[in-house]
Amino acid sequence: MTAYITPLDNINFLVNDVFDYPNHYASFEQLADVTPDLIEAIVQECGKFCEKELSPIYQSSDHEGCYFNNGQVTTPTGFKQAYDKYTQAGWNSLSYPQEYGGQGLPQSLGFIRSGMLSASNWSFNMYPGLTIGAVNTIIEHGTDIQKQTFLPNMSDGSWSGTMCLTEAHCGTDLGQIQTKAIANDDGSYGIFGSKIFISAGDHDLTENIIHIVLARLPSSPKGTRGISLFIVPKMNTNQNGDIEGPNKVSCGSIEDKMGIKGSATAVINFDGAKGFLLGDINKGLECMFTFMNTIRIGTSLQGVGAAEAAYGLSLAYAKERLSMRSLTGKKYPDKVADPLIVHPDVRRMLLTQKAICEGGLAMVYYACKLTDTIDYHADESIRLKADEKLGLLTPILKAFLTETGFESTNLGMQIFGGHGYIKETGIEQIVRDVRISTLYEGATAIQALDLLGRKILLNKGKELRSLCFEILGFCRENSIFSLNPHGKKMQKVVWPLAKEVLKWQKYTITLMLKANKNRNLVGSASVEYLMYSGYLYMGYMWAMMAKTAHEQIAKNDGDVVFYQSKIDTAEFYFERIFPRVKSLSATMMKDPKNMMDMSEEAF
Ligand SMILES: Cc1cc2nc3c(=O)[nH]c(=O)nc-3n(C[C@H](O)[C@H](O)[C@H](O)COP(=O)(O)OP(=O)(O)OC[C@H]3O[C@@H](n4cnc5c(N)ncnc54)[C@H](O)[C@@H]3O)c2cc1C
């Protein structure tokens, strides 16, 4: 298996040329120290860490898996050493607040780091990845004492975090959860119940694990309105963060599963464990959204990371493996056959992968800037606007990038032929690993309902209108009708994009009107609507990348082959991938009568 190589040129292109992160940071007083040199050093050093420490234990962690014995979980060989190096090098504390021992760097840089971790060793990244969600939830909803007690140790990595939602009978429908919280005399709660499928639920990397748990008070109403959120540490602590002894939390077992085998997926039992209310009573699900939103962007990076890793492997293989001759005559006459990369269909697969992983990374980096605006902008109305926009983009990022991430890794496997099915090549591991990403943290259908139901229909498409307005403005400024010197060359990308953005608005209004009369339409259209939206969002990113590449070539600044590859991939995207919007828009607008009228017996 080829080792992970950090795509530094792609990352730097996005950070510096396309999205101008240095000026973005400079626009916030609080981020004056985040200079271009610092950004470059972080990206480079984190890349080296991933290449040297994480990539070498990715495949072995799949062979070995996690080990469960007598209630104790042991992570695969090398994980503990890598985790210690990770925390000691300061990667864990990168974007946590300084007042709790973090380095106070922006969340966007934290996401850039997490992207590299996901691409080099997905399973390892689950442990610090879940902690980010737990930390953000405590920062947002915790009391001062809770923050002082838990955050410093989570920030330096000596404690980790989990998200405990799922129970055996419910994962999507959290209104059904049964875990109970009974008030103790000292203001804490006794937590009783069992959670399943808890990522990083138990392990040997940290001295304590802070579970963020959804549970129900006996007096609370049924359904989602009666759920509260609790901090439940594996080990009891005092307010200084010193460990006092075990809490009544135990690991019942870990799952034997399809992929991400180095990540322990645990049954966690709470037998009267001491827990602390986080946020208000019965507002648990709302508070948990802080956790879920962080993790959803993290999951989108897992989709992109897998696509990136698979592309690296399949590209190297396509250049090396010899098979038949090019249809237009021998390309390598000195060899017994030409390499796979000469064949049009192999190129179709490679370019689809390239378009998805580079376009996907751009989608995340574009959205990540919004997290900084939310955290640092002085104007509340601008913070709110950024929050609404990120709310619209998050379900698209999560579902679209995991679905296309899976498609992309599958194409990578296809390029390997039968060898792709054999463990040694490493590609089958990535295909198995990425499969979970469309299922957990809200399956694709749930993201789609969130997008169409909550983010579009509930606010009457306001946020979507403003995004469409922005994209149309970009298309106008870079079209043949503008003064832009690259307008003519950009026509191939901005023309189809602008035409479809106008339709995006039209379809949305039609769906809104029809949904008023037929609620099933929201459910039947939603996944196709989300994928349709994803292709438009990715199209916008490819148009931006093409524009930047044209400008860089005109300036004669840098690697022309690299910039030309961006233009070629953008044009490929609009010729061969973007037209999928036509079929999606045709099916999403169909009346669901046929599906819904069929009797259950007839299936
Ligand atoms: C490896 C792994 C790690 C995990 N990590 C965690 C974790 O850290 N913390 C945690 O709490 N959970 C975790 N989970 C659980 C995961 O989030 C759930 O499995 C997921 O939310 C789906 O829930 P479910 O399995 O109960 O499926 P169900 O809720 O039974 O759903 C089954 C299918 O039906 C669809 N469906 C359900 N309701 C609707 C609807 N109304 N409309 C349309 N479609 C619908 C779903 O999309 C899904 O495809 C993990 C799971 C795995 C396998």
Side-chain angles (χ1 to χ4, degrees):
M1 182 179 186
T2 316
Y4 170 75
I5 299 168
T6 316
L8 280 180
D9 46 1
N10 281 329
I11 296 176
N12 289 331
F13 174 65
L14 293 175
V15 166
N16 298 319
D17 304 332
V18 181
F19 298 124
D20 196 2
Y21 268 65
N23 263 322
H24 161 74
Y25 292 141
S27 69
F28 303 111
E29 214 177 291
Q30 307 93 314
L31 300 179
D33 295 344
V34 189
T35 59
D37 287 349
L38 180 69
I39 304 169
E40 194 186 337
I42 287 175
V43 169
Q44 259 187 24
E45 290 307 313
C46 185
K48 277 189 206 155
F49 178 82
C50 293
E51 288 170 9
K52 264 183 64 186
E53 306 294 342
L54 300 186
S55 171
I57 51 173
Y58 176 55
Q59 201 172 18
S60 56
S61 74
D62 182 60
H63 293 161
E64 201 181 331
C66 292
Y67 183 67
F68 179 73
N69 187 27
N70 236 346
Q72 305 287 322
V73 177
T74 310
T75 53
T77 306
F79 269 39
K80 173 73 179 138
Q81 290 86 336
Y83 185 78
D84 290 345
K85 286 184 186 167
Y86 177 79
T87 53
Q88 280 154 19
W91 295 118
N92 195 65
S93 60
L94 191 85
S95 55
Y96 293 148
Q98 280 173 322
E99 57 185 312
Y100 305 114
Q103 295 169 57
L105 289 165
Q107 284 204 64
S108 55
L109 270 180
F111 281 119
I112 293 174
R113 169 210 54 197
S114 298
M116 290 187 252
L117 260 72
S118 287
S120 57
N121 193 331
W122 178 319
S123 291
F124 176 90
N125 191 33
M126 293 295 284
Y127 299 92
L130 265 299
T131 308
I132 299 173
V135 166
N136 282 356
T137 311
I138 297 174
I139 291 175
E140 188 79 20
H141 306 288
T143 62
D144 286 344
I145 291 178
Q146 288 170 342
K147 289 177 192 172
Q148 288 305 339
T149 308
F150 297 105
L151 294 181
N153 286 315
M154 295 175 85
S155 178
D156 72 18
S158 42
W159 298 357
S160 63
T162 75
M163 176 177 76
C164 295
L165 284 68
T166 306
E167 297 180 7
H169 57 284
C170 68
T172 302
D173 183 6
L174 295 171
Q176 294 185 46
I177 68 162
Q178 292 169 356
T179 297
K180 284 194 188 65
I182 312 286
N184 294 327
D185 294 340
D186 63 358
S188 68
Y189 289 80
I191 308 295
F192 298 84
S194 193
K195 298 283 180 180
I196 67 160
F197 295 166
I198 304 309
S199 296
D202 200 58
H203 55 80
D204 56 355
L205 304 183
T206 58
E207 61 191 21
N208 201 358
I209 301 174
I210 309 306
H211 300 289
I212 306 293
V213 185
L214 284 181
R216 192 184 284 290
L217 268 63
S219 57
S220 291
K222 288 200 171 109
T224 51
R225 290 197 184 141
I227 298 175
S228 306
L229 193 58
F230 298 87
I231 303 175
V232 189
K234 176 181 172 183
M235 305 295 288
N236 283 317
T237 69
N238 64 23
Q239 287 181 8
N240 297 326
D242 305 318
I243 289 180
E244 294 189 323
N247 199 356
K248 291 178 183 160
V249 178
S250 60
C251 176
S253 61
I254 56 172
E255 304 298 338
D256 181 9
K257 58 191 191 296
M258 177 177 178
I260 56 165
K261 295 185 183 219
S263 164
T265 306
V267 171
I268 301 293
N269 298 318
F270 300 96
D271 300 307
K274 193 170 192 173
F276 307 94
L277 183 69
L278 184 55
D280 291 335
I281 287 178
N282 296 338
K283 297 285 177 211
L285 213 50
E286 281 158 62
C287 299
M288 202 55 151
F289 264 104
T290 306
F291 203 133
M292 292 194 269
N293 284 335
T294 311
I295 293 296
R296 283 172 182 180
I297 300 179
T299 311
S300 72
L301 278 166
Q302 293 177 328
V304 176
E308 215 174 74
Y311 178 58
L313 291 185
S314 55
L315 177 61
Y317 194 74
K319 286 183 176 174
E320 171 195 301
R321 173 82 172 172
L322 305 180
S323 178
M324 299 174 67
R325 289 295 181 189
S326 153
L327 295 173
T328 53
K330 292 179 183 176
K331 293 289 180 290
Y332 291 82
D334 52 323
K335 295 188 174 170
V336 293
D338 285 334
L340 294 174
I341 197 164
V342 304
H343 301 303
D345 189 58
V346 173
R347 286 180 165 241
R348 173 190 65 80
M349 293 192 277
L350 286 171
L351 269 163
T352 304
Q353 290 183 76
K354 184 170 163 62
I356 288 173
C357 59
E358 293 173 15
L361 199 63
M363 287 168 76
V364 182
Y365 281 22
Y366 170 83
C368 279
K369 283 171 88 173
L370 295 165
T371 62
D372 303 329
T373 307
I374 297 164
D375 288 343
Y376 304 110
H377 207 286
D379 184 334
E380 198 190 342
S381 66
I382 293 180
R383 288 202 302 271
L384 198 68
K385 188 103 195 66
D387 197 35
E388 283 172 357
K389 186 169 177 183
L390 189 61
L392 175 78
L393 300 182
T394 300
I396 306 177
L397 289 172
K398 198 284 173 180
F400 179 76
L401 291 180
T402 55
E403 292 286 348
T404 52
F406 180 56
E407 175 191 347
S408 185
T409 51
N410 247 329
L411 290 174
M413 188 170 185
Q414 194 70 16
I415 290 174
F416 273 85
H419 295 268
Y421 203 69
I422 307 302
K423 276 188 183 287
E424 193 190 345
T425 53
I427 191 93
E428 62 83 44
Q429 181 189 349
I430 307 175
V431 176
R432 282 185 289 107
D433 282 358
V434 73
R435 188 62 188 87
I436 185 59
S437 63
T438 67
L439 299 166
Y440 67 9
E441 314 311 346
T444 300
I446 303 312
Q447 302 299 329
L449 285 175
D450 180 41
L451 174 71
L452 188 55
R454 283 183 61 219
K455 308 286 171 55
I456 305 245
L457 298 183
L458 265 189
N459 80 3
K460 304 207 167 27
K462 186 176 122 239
E463 222 23 71
L464 180 74
R465 262 197 309 283
S466 122
L467 179 63
C468 290
F469 191 70
E470 175 186 318
I471 302 176
L472 287 172
F474 172 89
C475 292
R476 202 171 35 247
E477 280 167 24
N478 292 284
S479 76
I480 202 162
F481 307 111
S482 69
L483 296 174
N484 190 318
H486 311 295
K488 195 163 173 220
K489 293 181 195 147
M490 284 289 289
Q491 200 61 4
K492 279 186 190 166
V493 304
V494 294
W495 182 241
L497 179 62
K499 270 199 312 190
E500 203 61 43
V501 168
L502 292 171
K503 290 188 195 161
W504 194 5
Q505 290 173 297
K506 190 187 87 183
Y507 294 138
T508 305
I509 293 169
T510 312
L511 279 174
M512 274 197 258
L513 294 173
K514 286 189 175 176
N516 279 336
K517 294 190 196 129
N518 182 357
R519 297 307 287 172
N520 271 335
L521 184 66
V522 180
S524 69
S526 55
V527 168
E528 282 152 349
Y529 181 86
L530 181 143
M531 293 304 287
Y532 173 87
S533 306
Y535 287 114
L536 276 147
Y537 180 2
M538 191 178 263
Y540 180 30
M541 296 300 105
W542 271 114
M544 283 175 113
M545 288 192 275
K547 168 194 178 246
T548 310
H550 280 301
E551 287 168 356
Q552 297 296 111
I553 289 176
K555 277 197 255 169
N556 213 353
D557 184 8
D559 181 351
V560 175
V561 176
F562 173 81
Y563 294 126
Q564 189 58 46
S565 86
K566 295 292 173 193
I567 296 167
D568 294 342
T569 313
E571 292 178 3
F572 171 86
Y573 179 83
F574 278 98
E575 271 176 20
R576 296 199 172 247
I577 299 182
F578 192 70
R580 294 178 188 183
V581 292
K582 289 191 175 44
S583 103
L584 286 166
S585 57
T587 47
M588 77 193 183
M589 300 308 287
K590 288 274 182 294
D591 191 316
K593 186 169 173 3
N594 154 273
M595 302 199 269
M596 301 316 289
D597 282 359
M598 189 157 133
S599 71
E600 287 182 18
E601 299 77 55
F603 271 85

